[in-house]
Short mmCIF file of all heavy atoms in Angstrom, two decimals:
data_model
loop_
_atom_site.label_atom_id
_atom_site.label_comp_id
_atom_site.label_asym_id
_atom_site.label_seq_id
_atom_site.Cartn_x
_atom_site.Cartn_y
_atom_site.Cartn_z
N MET H 1 0.83 -1.20 0.00
CA MET H 1 0.00 0.00 0.00
C MET H 1 0.87 1.26 0.00
O MET H 1 1.84 1.36 0.72
CB MET H 1 -0.89 0.04 1.26
CG MET H 1 -2.29 -0.53 1.07
SD MET H 1 -3.17 0.22 -0.29
CE MET H 1 -4.85 0.00 0.28
N SER H 2 0.54 2.19 -0.84
CA SER H 2 1.29 3.44 -0.91
C SER H 2 0.32 4.62 -0.86
O SER H 2 -0.76 4.58 -1.45
CB SER H 2 2.10 3.50 -2.20
OG SER H 2 2.64 4.80 -2.35
N ILE H 3 0.74 5.63 -0.14
CA ILE H 3 -0.06 6.85 -0.14
C ILE H 3 0.73 7.96 -0.80
O ILE H 3 0.54 9.13 -0.54
CB ILE H 3 -0.49 7.26 1.27
CG1 ILE H 3 0.75 7.41 2.18
CG2 ILE H 3 -1.50 6.28 1.85
CD1 ILE H 3 0.46 8.15 3.48
N ALA H 4 1.67 7.55 -1.69
CA ALA H 4 2.56 8.51 -2.33
C ALA H 4 1.79 9.53 -3.16
O ALA H 4 2.25 10.64 -3.36
CB ALA H 4 3.57 7.79 -3.19
N SER H 5 0.63 9.15 -3.67
CA SER H 5 -0.12 10.07 -4.52
C SER H 5 -0.82 11.15 -3.70
O SER H 5 -1.30 12.14 -4.22
CB SER H 5 -1.15 9.30 -5.34
OG SER H 5 -2.09 8.70 -4.48
N HIS H 6 -0.89 10.94 -2.40
CA HIS H 6 -1.50 11.96 -1.54
C HIS H 6 -0.63 13.21 -1.54
O HIS H 6 0.59 13.13 -1.47
CB HIS H 6 -1.66 11.42 -0.12
CG HIS H 6 -2.49 12.31 0.75
ND1 HIS H 6 -1.93 13.29 1.54
CD2 HIS H 6 -3.82 12.37 0.96
CE1 HIS H 6 -2.90 13.91 2.18
NE2 HIS H 6 -4.05 13.38 1.85
N SER H 7 -1.24 14.35 -1.65
CA SER H 7 -0.50 15.60 -1.78
C SER H 7 0.32 15.89 -0.53
O SER H 7 -0.20 15.87 0.58
CB SER H 7 -1.47 16.76 -2.02
OG SER H 7 -0.73 17.98 -2.02
N THR H 8 1.61 16.12 -0.76
CA THR H 8 2.48 16.53 0.34
C THR H 8 3.08 17.89 0.03
O THR H 8 4.05 18.29 0.62
CB THR H 8 3.60 15.50 0.57
OG1 THR H 8 4.29 15.30 -0.66
CG2 THR H 8 3.04 14.19 1.07
N ALA H 9 2.49 18.58 -0.95
CA ALA H 9 3.01 19.88 -1.33
C ALA H 9 2.95 20.85 -0.16
O ALA H 9 2.01 20.80 0.64
CB ALA H 9 2.19 20.45 -2.49
N PRO H 10 3.97 21.71 -0.06
CA PRO H 10 3.95 22.71 1.02
C PRO H 10 2.67 23.55 0.94
O PRO H 10 2.29 24.00 -0.13
CB PRO H 10 5.18 23.57 0.74
CG PRO H 10 6.07 22.71 -0.10
CD PRO H 10 5.16 21.83 -0.91
N GLY H 11 2.04 23.71 2.06
CA GLY H 11 0.84 24.52 2.07
C GLY H 11 -0.43 23.71 1.89
O GLY H 11 -1.53 24.22 2.10
N ALA H 12 -0.30 22.45 1.50
CA ALA H 12 -1.49 21.64 1.26
C ALA H 12 -2.35 21.54 2.52
O ALA H 12 -3.57 21.50 2.45
CB ALA H 12 -1.11 20.25 0.78
N ASN H 13 -1.67 21.50 3.65
CA ASN H 13 -2.42 21.37 4.90
C ASN H 13 -3.17 22.66 5.25
O ASN H 13 -4.05 22.66 6.10
CB ASN H 13 -1.47 21.03 6.06
CG ASN H 13 -0.92 19.61 5.93
OD1 ASN H 13 -1.54 18.78 5.26
ND2 ASN H 13 0.21 19.35 6.54
N LEU H 14 -2.80 23.75 4.58
CA LEU H 14 -3.46 25.01 4.87
C LEU H 14 -4.79 25.14 4.12
O LEU H 14 -5.61 25.97 4.44
CB LEU H 14 -2.56 26.19 4.49
CG LEU H 14 -1.24 26.26 5.28
CD1 LEU H 14 -0.37 27.39 4.75
CD2 LEU H 14 -1.52 26.46 6.77
N LEU H 15 -4.95 24.29 3.09
CA LEU H 15 -6.20 24.34 2.35
C LEU H 15 -7.27 23.66 3.17
O LEU H 15 -7.42 22.44 3.18
CB LEU H 15 -6.03 23.66 0.99
CG LEU H 15 -5.14 24.45 0.02
CD1 LEU H 15 -4.89 23.64 -1.23
CD2 LEU H 15 -5.77 25.78 -0.34
N PHE H 16 -8.01 24.45 3.87
CA PHE H 16 -8.99 23.98 4.83
C PHE H 16 -10.26 23.56 4.12
O PHE H 16 -10.85 24.35 3.39
CB PHE H 16 -9.25 25.11 5.82
CG PHE H 16 -10.29 24.78 6.85
CD1 PHE H 16 -10.19 23.64 7.62
CD2 PHE H 16 -11.36 25.64 7.05
CE1 PHE H 16 -11.13 23.35 8.58
CE2 PHE H 16 -12.31 25.36 8.01
CZ PHE H 16 -12.20 24.22 8.78
N GLU H 17 -10.63 22.32 4.30
CA GLU H 17 -11.88 21.85 3.71
C GLU H 17 -13.01 22.17 4.67
O GLU H 17 -13.00 21.79 5.83
CB GLU H 17 -11.81 20.35 3.47
CG GLU H 17 -10.87 20.00 2.35
CD GLU H 17 -11.31 18.76 1.60
OE1 GLU H 17 -12.27 18.12 2.05
OE2 GLU H 17 -10.69 18.45 0.58
N HIS H 18 -13.97 22.91 4.17
CA HIS H 18 -15.06 23.28 5.06
C HIS H 18 -16.41 22.92 4.46
O HIS H 18 -16.88 23.55 3.54
CB HIS H 18 -15.00 24.77 5.42
CG HIS H 18 -14.79 25.68 4.25
ND1 HIS H 18 -15.82 26.06 3.40
CD2 HIS H 18 -13.68 26.28 3.78
CE1 HIS H 18 -15.33 26.86 2.47
NE2 HIS H 18 -14.04 27.00 2.67
N TYR H 19 -16.97 21.88 4.99
CA TYR H 19 -18.31 21.51 4.59
C TYR H 19 -19.31 22.16 5.55
O TYR H 19 -18.94 22.66 6.61
CB TYR H 19 -18.47 19.98 4.60
CG TYR H 19 -17.72 19.34 3.45
CD1 TYR H 19 -16.39 18.95 3.60
CD2 TYR H 19 -18.33 19.18 2.22
CE1 TYR H 19 -15.70 18.39 2.54
CE2 TYR H 19 -17.65 18.61 1.15
CZ TYR H 19 -16.33 18.22 1.32
OH TYR H 19 -15.65 17.68 0.27
N CYS H 20 -20.57 22.15 5.15
CA CYS H 20 -21.62 22.71 5.99
C CYS H 20 -21.57 22.09 7.38
O CYS H 20 -21.38 20.89 7.53
CB CYS H 20 -22.98 22.42 5.33
SG CYS H 20 -24.38 22.99 6.31
N GLU H 21 -21.69 22.95 8.39
CA GLU H 21 -21.55 22.44 9.75
C GLU H 21 -22.86 21.91 10.31
O GLU H 21 -22.90 21.42 11.44
CB GLU H 21 -20.98 23.52 10.65
CG GLU H 21 -21.93 24.67 10.94
CD GLU H 21 -21.43 25.49 12.13
OE1 GLU H 21 -20.22 25.81 12.22
OE2 GLU H 21 -22.25 25.79 12.99
N GLU H 22 -23.92 22.00 9.55
CA GLU H 22 -25.18 21.44 10.01
C GLU H 22 -25.03 19.92 10.13
O GLU H 22 -24.60 19.26 9.20
CB GLU H 22 -26.29 21.77 8.98
CG GLU H 22 -27.68 21.35 9.42
CD GLU H 22 -28.25 22.28 10.48
OE1 GLU H 22 -27.70 23.37 10.72
OE2 GLU H 22 -29.27 21.89 11.07
N PRO H 23 -25.36 19.35 11.29
CA PRO H 23 -25.19 17.90 11.47
C PRO H 23 -25.95 17.12 10.41
O PRO H 23 -27.13 17.37 10.16
CB PRO H 23 -25.77 17.64 12.86
CG PRO H 23 -25.67 18.94 13.58
CD PRO H 23 -25.84 20.00 12.51
N GLY H 24 -25.24 16.18 9.76
CA GLY H 24 -25.88 15.33 8.77
C GLY H 24 -25.88 15.91 7.38
O GLY H 24 -26.18 15.22 6.42
N CYS H 25 -25.53 17.20 7.23
CA CYS H 25 -25.54 17.83 5.92
C CYS H 25 -24.22 17.54 5.22
O CYS H 25 -23.16 17.72 5.79
CB CYS H 25 -25.75 19.33 6.05
SG CYS H 25 -25.86 20.15 4.45
N GLN H 26 -24.30 17.09 3.96
CA GLN H 26 -23.10 16.72 3.20
C GLN H 26 -22.74 17.80 2.19
O GLN H 26 -21.85 17.60 1.37
CB GLN H 26 -23.34 15.40 2.46
CG GLN H 26 -23.78 14.26 3.35
CD GLN H 26 -22.65 13.77 4.25
OE1 GLN H 26 -21.58 13.45 3.77
NE2 GLN H 26 -22.90 13.72 5.54
N GLU H 27 -23.42 18.94 2.22
CA GLU H 27 -23.17 19.99 1.24
C GLU H 27 -21.85 20.69 1.52
O GLU H 27 -21.38 20.75 2.66
CB GLU H 27 -24.29 21.03 1.28
CG GLU H 27 -25.65 20.48 0.95
CD GLU H 27 -25.84 20.28 -0.53
OE1 GLU H 27 -25.31 21.08 -1.31
OE2 GLU H 27 -26.51 19.30 -0.90
N TRP H 28 -21.27 21.24 0.47
CA TRP H 28 -20.08 22.08 0.62
C TRP H 28 -20.46 23.37 1.33
O TRP H 28 -21.49 23.98 1.03
CB TRP H 28 -19.48 22.38 -0.75
CG TRP H 28 -18.31 23.30 -0.69
CD1 TRP H 28 -18.27 24.61 -1.07
CD2 TRP H 28 -17.00 22.98 -0.21
NE1 TRP H 28 -17.00 25.11 -0.85
CE2 TRP H 28 -16.21 24.13 -0.32
CE3 TRP H 28 -16.42 21.82 0.33
CZ2 TRP H 28 -14.87 24.17 0.07
CZ3 TRP H 28 -15.08 21.86 0.70
CH2 TRP H 28 -14.32 23.02 0.57
N GLY H 29 -19.65 23.78 2.31
CA GLY H 29 -19.94 25.00 3.05
C GLY H 29 -19.37 26.20 2.34
O GLY H 29 -18.29 26.68 2.67
N GLY H 30 -20.08 26.68 1.38
CA GLY H 30 -19.58 27.78 0.57
C GLY H 30 -19.84 29.14 1.18
O GLY H 30 -19.39 30.15 0.67
N PHE H 31 -20.58 29.18 2.29
CA PHE H 31 -20.96 30.46 2.88
C PHE H 31 -20.46 30.54 4.31
O PHE H 31 -20.93 29.84 5.19
CB PHE H 31 -22.48 30.64 2.81
CG PHE H 31 -22.98 30.67 1.39
CD1 PHE H 31 -23.29 29.50 0.73
CD2 PHE H 31 -23.08 31.87 0.71
CE1 PHE H 31 -23.71 29.52 -0.59
CE2 PHE H 31 -23.50 31.90 -0.60
CZ PHE H 31 -23.82 30.73 -1.26
N GLY H 32 -19.46 31.39 4.51
CA GLY H 32 -18.84 31.50 5.82
C GLY H 32 -19.29 32.74 6.55
O GLY H 32 -19.72 33.72 5.95
N HIS H 33 -19.19 32.68 7.86
CA HIS H 33 -19.50 33.85 8.67
C HIS H 33 -18.65 33.85 9.92
O HIS H 33 -18.47 32.82 10.56
CB HIS H 33 -20.98 33.86 9.07
CG HIS H 33 -21.34 35.05 9.91
ND1 HIS H 33 -21.28 35.04 11.28
CD2 HIS H 33 -21.72 36.30 9.55
CE1 HIS H 33 -21.63 36.24 11.72
NE2 HIS H 33 -21.90 37.01 10.71
N SER H 34 -18.08 35.01 10.22
CA SER H 34 -17.32 35.18 11.45
C SER H 34 -17.60 36.56 11.99
O SER H 34 -17.50 37.55 11.26
CB SER H 34 -15.82 35.02 11.16
OG SER H 34 -15.06 35.38 12.28
N PRO H 35 -17.96 36.67 13.25
CA PRO H 35 -18.29 37.99 13.82
C PRO H 35 -17.08 38.88 13.96
O PRO H 35 -17.21 40.11 14.02
CB PRO H 35 -18.89 37.66 15.19
CG PRO H 35 -18.41 36.27 15.51
CD PRO H 35 -18.18 35.58 14.19
N SER H 36 -15.87 38.31 14.01
CA SER H 36 -14.66 39.12 14.10
C SER H 36 -13.47 38.27 13.66
O SER H 36 -13.55 37.04 13.65
CB SER H 36 -14.45 39.61 15.54
OG SER H 36 -13.72 38.65 16.28
N PRO H 37 -12.36 38.96 13.27
CA PRO H 37 -11.18 38.20 12.80
C PRO H 37 -10.63 37.24 13.86
O PRO H 37 -9.91 36.32 13.52
CB PRO H 37 -10.16 39.31 12.50
CG PRO H 37 -10.98 40.54 12.27
CD PRO H 37 -12.17 40.40 13.17
N ALA H 38 -10.95 37.47 15.13
CA ALA H 38 -10.44 36.61 16.19
C ALA H 38 -11.23 35.33 16.32
O ALA H 38 -10.79 34.38 16.96
CB ALA H 38 -10.47 37.37 17.52
N VAL H 39 -12.40 35.31 15.70
CA VAL H 39 -13.27 34.14 15.81
C VAL H 39 -13.15 33.30 14.53
O VAL H 39 -13.28 33.84 13.44
CB VAL H 39 -14.73 34.58 16.02
CG1 VAL H 39 -15.66 33.37 16.11
CG2 VAL H 39 -14.84 35.43 17.27
N PRO H 40 -12.88 32.00 14.67
CA PRO H 40 -12.79 31.15 13.48
C PRO H 40 -14.09 31.20 12.68
O PRO H 40 -15.18 31.19 13.25
CB PRO H 40 -12.57 29.74 14.05
CG PRO H 40 -12.07 29.95 15.44
CD PRO H 40 -12.67 31.26 15.91
N THR H 41 -13.93 31.27 11.35
CA THR H 41 -15.09 31.32 10.48
C THR H 41 -15.86 30.00 10.54
O THR H 41 -15.26 28.94 10.56
CB THR H 41 -14.65 31.60 9.04
OG1 THR H 41 -13.88 32.79 9.02
CG2 THR H 41 -15.86 31.75 8.13
N ARG H 42 -17.16 30.11 10.61
CA ARG H 42 -18.01 28.92 10.52
C ARG H 42 -18.59 28.88 9.12
O ARG H 42 -18.78 29.91 8.50
CB ARG H 42 -19.12 29.01 11.57
CG ARG H 42 -18.57 29.03 12.99
CD ARG H 42 -19.63 29.43 13.98
NE ARG H 42 -20.62 28.36 14.12
CZ ARG H 42 -21.80 28.52 14.74
NH1 ARG H 42 -22.12 29.67 15.24
NH2 ARG H 42 -22.64 27.51 14.84
N TRP H 43 -18.87 27.65 8.64
CA TRP H 43 -19.28 27.49 7.25
C TRP H 43 -20.57 26.71 7.14
O TRP H 43 -20.80 25.74 7.85
CB TRP H 43 -18.18 26.77 6.47
CG TRP H 43 -16.90 27.54 6.40
CD1 TRP H 43 -15.85 27.43 7.27
CD2 TRP H 43 -16.54 28.55 5.46
NE1 TRP H 43 -14.86 28.32 6.90
CE2 TRP H 43 -15.25 29.00 5.81
CE3 TRP H 43 -17.18 29.10 4.35
CZ2 TRP H 43 -14.60 29.99 5.07
CZ3 TRP H 43 -16.53 30.08 3.63
CH2 TRP H 43 -15.25 30.52 3.99
N TRP H 44 -21.40 27.15 6.19
CA TRP H 44 -22.65 26.46 5.90
C TRP H 44 -22.88 26.39 4.40
O TRP H 44 -22.34 27.20 3.66
CB TRP H 44 -23.84 27.21 6.52
CG TRP H 44 -23.89 27.25 7.99
CD1 TRP H 44 -24.52 26.36 8.83
CD2 TRP H 44 -23.33 28.26 8.86
NE1 TRP H 44 -24.36 26.76 10.14
CE2 TRP H 44 -23.64 27.90 10.19
CE3 TRP H 44 -22.58 29.42 8.63
CZ2 TRP H 44 -23.23 28.67 11.29
CZ3 TRP H 44 -22.18 30.18 9.72
CH2 TRP H 44 -22.51 29.81 11.02
N CYS H 45 -23.71 25.45 3.96
CA CYS H 45 -24.22 25.51 2.59
C CYS H 45 -25.24 26.63 2.55
O CYS H 45 -25.65 27.18 3.57
CB CYS H 45 -24.85 24.17 2.21
SG CYS H 45 -26.38 23.78 3.08
N TRP H 46 -25.70 26.96 1.34
CA TRP H 46 -26.63 28.08 1.23
C TRP H 46 -27.92 27.81 2.01
O TRP H 46 -28.46 28.69 2.67
CB TRP H 46 -26.94 28.37 -0.24
CG TRP H 46 -27.96 29.44 -0.39
CD1 TRP H 46 -29.25 29.29 -0.77
CD2 TRP H 46 -27.78 30.84 -0.11
NE1 TRP H 46 -29.88 30.51 -0.75
CE2 TRP H 46 -29.01 31.47 -0.35
CE3 TRP H 46 -26.69 31.59 0.32
CZ2 TRP H 46 -29.18 32.84 -0.16
CZ3 TRP H 46 -26.86 32.95 0.50
CH2 TRP H 46 -28.08 33.56 0.26
N GLY H 47 -28.40 26.59 1.92
CA GLY H 47 -29.66 26.26 2.57
C GLY H 47 -29.63 26.41 4.08
O GLY H 47 -30.65 26.72 4.70
N HIS H 48 -28.47 26.22 4.67
CA HIS H 48 -28.37 26.29 6.13
C HIS H 48 -27.72 27.57 6.61
O HIS H 48 -27.65 27.81 7.81
CB HIS H 48 -27.56 25.09 6.65
CG HIS H 48 -28.30 23.78 6.54
ND1 HIS H 48 -27.79 22.68 5.90
CD2 HIS H 48 -29.53 23.41 7.00
CE1 HIS H 48 -28.67 21.69 5.98
NE2 HIS H 48 -29.73 22.11 6.61
N PHE H 49 -27.22 28.37 5.70
CA PHE H 49 -26.53 29.60 6.09
C PHE H 49 -27.49 30.52 6.83
O PHE H 49 -28.49 30.97 6.26
CB PHE H 49 -25.98 30.28 4.83
CG PHE H 49 -25.13 31.50 5.11
CD1 PHE H 49 -24.01 31.42 5.92
CD2 PHE H 49 -25.46 32.73 4.56
CE1 PHE H 49 -23.22 32.54 6.17
CE2 PHE H 49 -24.69 33.86 4.80
CZ PHE H 49 -23.57 33.75 5.61
N PRO H 50 -27.23 30.81 8.11
CA PRO H 50 -28.21 31.56 8.90
C PRO H 50 -28.08 33.08 8.79
O PRO H 50 -28.88 33.80 9.38
CB PRO H 50 -27.90 31.10 10.34
CG PRO H 50 -26.48 30.68 10.33
CD PRO H 50 -26.09 30.33 8.91
N TYR H 51 -27.11 33.56 8.04
CA TYR H 51 -26.87 35.00 8.02
C TYR H 51 -27.24 35.65 6.70
O TYR H 51 -26.93 36.79 6.45
CB TYR H 51 -25.40 35.30 8.34
CG TYR H 51 -25.00 34.86 9.72
CD1 TYR H 51 -24.31 33.68 9.91
CD2 TYR H 51 -25.35 35.62 10.84
CE1 TYR H 51 -23.96 33.25 11.18
CE2 TYR H 51 -25.01 35.21 12.11
CZ TYR H 51 -24.31 34.02 12.27
OH TYR H 51 -23.98 33.60 13.52
N LYS H 52 -27.90 34.89 5.82
CA LYS H 52 -28.24 35.46 4.52
C LYS H 52 -29.33 36.52 4.69
O LYS H 52 -30.23 36.38 5.51
CB LYS H 52 -28.68 34.39 3.54
CG LYS H 52 -29.88 33.57 3.99
CD LYS H 52 -30.04 32.34 3.11
CE LYS H 52 -31.11 31.41 3.68
NZ LYS H 52 -31.09 30.09 3.07
N THR H 53 -29.20 37.55 3.88
CA THR H 53 -30.18 38.62 3.91
C THR H 53 -31.24 38.37 2.85
O THR H 53 -31.06 37.54 1.95
CB THR H 53 -29.52 39.98 3.63
OG1 THR H 53 -29.00 39.96 2.30
CG2 THR H 53 -28.39 40.25 4.60
N TYR H 54 -32.31 39.10 2.94
CA TYR H 54 -33.37 38.99 1.93
C TYR H 54 -32.81 39.29 0.54
O TYR H 54 -33.11 38.58 -0.42
CB TYR H 54 -34.49 39.98 2.27
CG TYR H 54 -35.61 39.98 1.25
CD1 TYR H 54 -36.58 38.97 1.27
CD2 TYR H 54 -35.70 40.98 0.28
CE1 TYR H 54 -37.61 38.97 0.34
CE2 TYR H 54 -36.72 40.97 -0.65
CZ TYR H 54 -37.68 39.97 -0.62
OH TYR H 54 -38.69 39.97 -1.54
N GLU H 55 -31.96 40.33 0.46
CA GLU H 55 -31.39 40.71 -0.83
C GLU H 55 -30.51 39.58 -1.38
O GLU H 55 -30.54 39.29 -2.57
CB GLU H 55 -30.56 41.99 -0.69
CG GLU H 55 -31.39 43.24 -0.54
CD GLU H 55 -31.96 43.39 0.87
OE1 GLU H 55 -31.47 42.72 1.80
OE2 GLU H 55 -32.90 44.19 1.04
N GLN H 56 -29.72 38.96 -0.51
CA GLN H 56 -28.86 37.87 -0.95
C GLN H 56 -29.70 36.71 -1.48
O GLN H 56 -29.37 36.08 -2.47
CB GLN H 56 -27.99 37.38 0.21
CG GLN H 56 -26.81 38.28 0.49
CD GLN H 56 -26.03 37.79 1.69
OE1 GLN H 56 -26.59 37.49 2.74
NE2 GLN H 56 -24.73 37.68 1.55
N GLU H 57 -30.80 36.44 -0.78
CA GLU H 57 -31.63 35.32 -1.18
C GLU H 57 -32.28 35.58 -2.53
O GLU H 57 -32.35 34.70 -3.39
CB GLU H 57 -32.71 35.07 -0.11
CG GLU H 57 -33.50 33.81 -0.37
CD GLU H 57 -33.91 33.11 0.93
OE1 GLU H 57 -33.95 33.78 1.97
OE2 GLU H 57 -34.18 31.91 0.87
N GLN H 58 -32.73 36.84 -2.73
CA GLN H 58 -33.33 37.18 -4.02
C GLN H 58 -32.31 37.06 -5.14
O GLN H 58 -32.60 36.51 -6.20
CB GLN H 58 -33.88 38.61 -3.98
CG GLN H 58 -35.06 38.78 -3.03
CD GLN H 58 -36.20 37.83 -3.33
OE1 GLN H 58 -36.72 37.82 -4.43
NE2 GLN H 58 -36.59 37.03 -2.35
N ALA H 59 -31.11 37.55 -4.90
CA ALA H 59 -30.05 37.51 -5.92
C ALA H 59 -29.71 36.06 -6.24
O ALA H 59 -29.51 35.69 -7.40
CB ALA H 59 -28.81 38.24 -5.43
N PHE H 60 -29.66 35.23 -5.21
CA PHE H 60 -29.33 33.82 -5.42
C PHE H 60 -30.42 33.14 -6.23
O PHE H 60 -30.14 32.32 -7.10
CB PHE H 60 -29.17 33.14 -4.06
CG PHE H 60 -28.66 31.73 -4.16
CD1 PHE H 60 -27.32 31.48 -4.40
CD2 PHE H 60 -29.52 30.65 -3.99
CE1 PHE H 60 -26.84 30.18 -4.48
CE2 PHE H 60 -29.05 29.34 -4.07
CZ PHE H 60 -27.71 29.12 -4.33
N ARG H 61 -31.67 33.49 -5.94
CA ARG H 61 -32.78 32.88 -6.67
C ARG H 61 -32.76 33.27 -8.14
O ARG H 61 -33.01 32.46 -9.02
CB ARG H 61 -34.11 33.33 -6.04
CG ARG H 61 -34.72 32.17 -5.30
CD ARG H 61 -36.07 32.48 -4.75
NE ARG H 61 -36.14 31.86 -3.43
CZ ARG H 61 -36.92 32.27 -2.45
NH1 ARG H 61 -37.69 33.29 -2.63
NH2 ARG H 61 -36.91 31.66 -1.31
N ARG H 62 -32.44 34.55 -8.39
CA ARG H 62 -32.37 35.01 -9.79
C ARG H 62 -31.27 34.25 -10.52
O ARG H 62 -31.44 33.87 -11.68
CB ARG H 62 -32.08 36.51 -9.83
CG ARG H 62 -33.33 37.35 -9.67
CD ARG H 62 -33.09 38.79 -10.11
NE ARG H 62 -32.08 39.46 -9.31
CZ ARG H 62 -32.34 40.09 -8.16
NH1 ARG H 62 -33.57 40.13 -7.69
NH2 ARG H 62 -31.38 40.69 -7.49
N LYS H 63 -30.16 34.00 -9.84
CA LYS H 63 -29.04 33.27 -10.43
C LYS H 63 -29.46 31.84 -10.75
O LYS H 63 -29.18 31.32 -11.82
CB LYS H 63 -27.87 33.26 -9.44
CG LYS H 63 -26.55 33.59 -10.08
CD LYS H 63 -25.56 34.07 -9.03
CE LYS H 63 -24.55 33.00 -8.69
NZ LYS H 63 -23.58 33.42 -7.67
N LEU H 64 -30.16 31.22 -9.81
CA LEU H 64 -30.65 29.85 -10.01
C LEU H 64 -31.58 29.77 -11.19
O LEU H 64 -31.45 28.91 -12.06
CB LEU H 64 -31.38 29.39 -8.76
CG LEU H 64 -30.62 28.50 -7.78
CD1 LEU H 64 -31.58 27.97 -6.72
CD2 LEU H 64 -29.93 27.34 -8.49
N GLU H 65 -32.53 30.70 -11.23
CA GLU H 65 -33.51 30.71 -12.32
C GLU H 65 -32.82 30.93 -13.65
O GLU H 65 -33.18 30.32 -14.65
CB GLU H 65 -34.56 31.80 -12.07
CG GLU H 65 -35.56 31.37 -11.00
CD GLU H 65 -36.37 32.55 -10.50
OE1 GLU H 65 -36.32 33.64 -11.11
OE2 GLU H 65 -37.05 32.38 -9.47
N ALA H 66 -31.83 31.81 -13.67
CA ALA H 66 -31.11 32.09 -14.91
C ALA H 66 -30.39 30.85 -15.41
O ALA H 66 -30.37 30.56 -16.60
CB ALA H 66 -30.12 33.23 -14.68
N SER H 67 -29.79 30.10 -14.47
CA SER H 67 -29.04 28.92 -14.90
C SER H 67 -30.00 27.81 -15.35
O SER H 67 -29.64 26.97 -16.17
CB SER H 67 -28.13 28.43 -13.76
OG SER H 67 -28.90 27.93 -12.69
N GLU H 68 -31.20 27.82 -14.82
CA GLU H 68 -32.17 26.81 -15.25
C GLU H 68 -32.67 27.10 -16.66
O GLU H 68 -33.00 26.21 -17.42
CB GLU H 68 -33.37 26.79 -14.29
CG GLU H 68 -33.08 25.94 -13.05
CD GLU H 68 -34.10 26.19 -11.94
OE1 GLU H 68 -35.12 26.86 -12.19
OE2 GLU H 68 -33.87 25.71 -10.82
N ARG H 69 -32.71 28.38 -17.00
CA ARG H 69 -33.17 28.76 -18.33
C ARG H 69 -32.07 28.62 -19.36
O ARG H 69 -32.32 28.76 -20.56
CB ARG H 69 -33.63 30.23 -18.30
CG ARG H 69 -35.11 30.35 -18.04
CD ARG H 69 -35.54 31.80 -18.24
NE ARG H 69 -35.97 32.38 -16.97
CZ ARG H 69 -35.34 33.39 -16.35
NH1 ARG H 69 -34.28 33.92 -16.87
NH2 ARG H 69 -35.81 33.86 -15.22
N GLY H 70 -30.84 28.42 -18.94
CA GLY H 70 -29.75 28.30 -19.86
C GLY H 70 -29.06 29.64 -20.05
O GLY H 70 -29.43 30.62 -19.41
N PRO H 71 -28.08 29.66 -20.95
CA PRO H 71 -27.32 30.91 -21.19
C PRO H 71 -28.24 32.07 -21.53
O PRO H 71 -29.20 31.91 -22.29
CB PRO H 71 -26.42 30.56 -22.39
CG PRO H 71 -26.33 29.07 -22.39
CD PRO H 71 -27.64 28.58 -21.81
N ALA H 72 -27.95 33.25 -20.96
CA ALA H 72 -28.82 34.41 -21.15
C ALA H 72 -28.74 34.94 -22.57
O ALA H 72 -29.70 35.50 -23.06
CB ALA H 72 -28.40 35.51 -20.16
N GLN H 73 -27.60 34.78 -23.23
CA GLN H 73 -27.49 35.34 -24.58
C GLN H 73 -28.22 34.45 -25.55
O GLN H 73 -27.78 33.87 -26.41
CB GLN H 73 -26.02 35.47 -24.97
CG GLN H 73 -25.34 36.60 -24.22
CD GLN H 73 -24.34 36.04 -23.22
OE1 GLN H 73 -24.08 34.84 -23.21
NE2 GLN H 73 -23.81 36.87 -22.34
ZN1 ZN Q 101 -26.14 22.40 4.94
#
């Protein structure tokens, strides 16, 4: 058995994988929130992200609808 293909490049350990922190959720945590630089950022998927604003949600919905309709041009 070899794990030679596993990345050992410098800095690889710094690439922090952050999935949604909601228990049982397997989504990628693409939406982070931290109240201050001293507090580690917490991550959620869009569906569980508790800090989204009404405007953000509307913008996200427009983006979703646009992608469902296909290219705008
Ligand atoms: Zn989630």
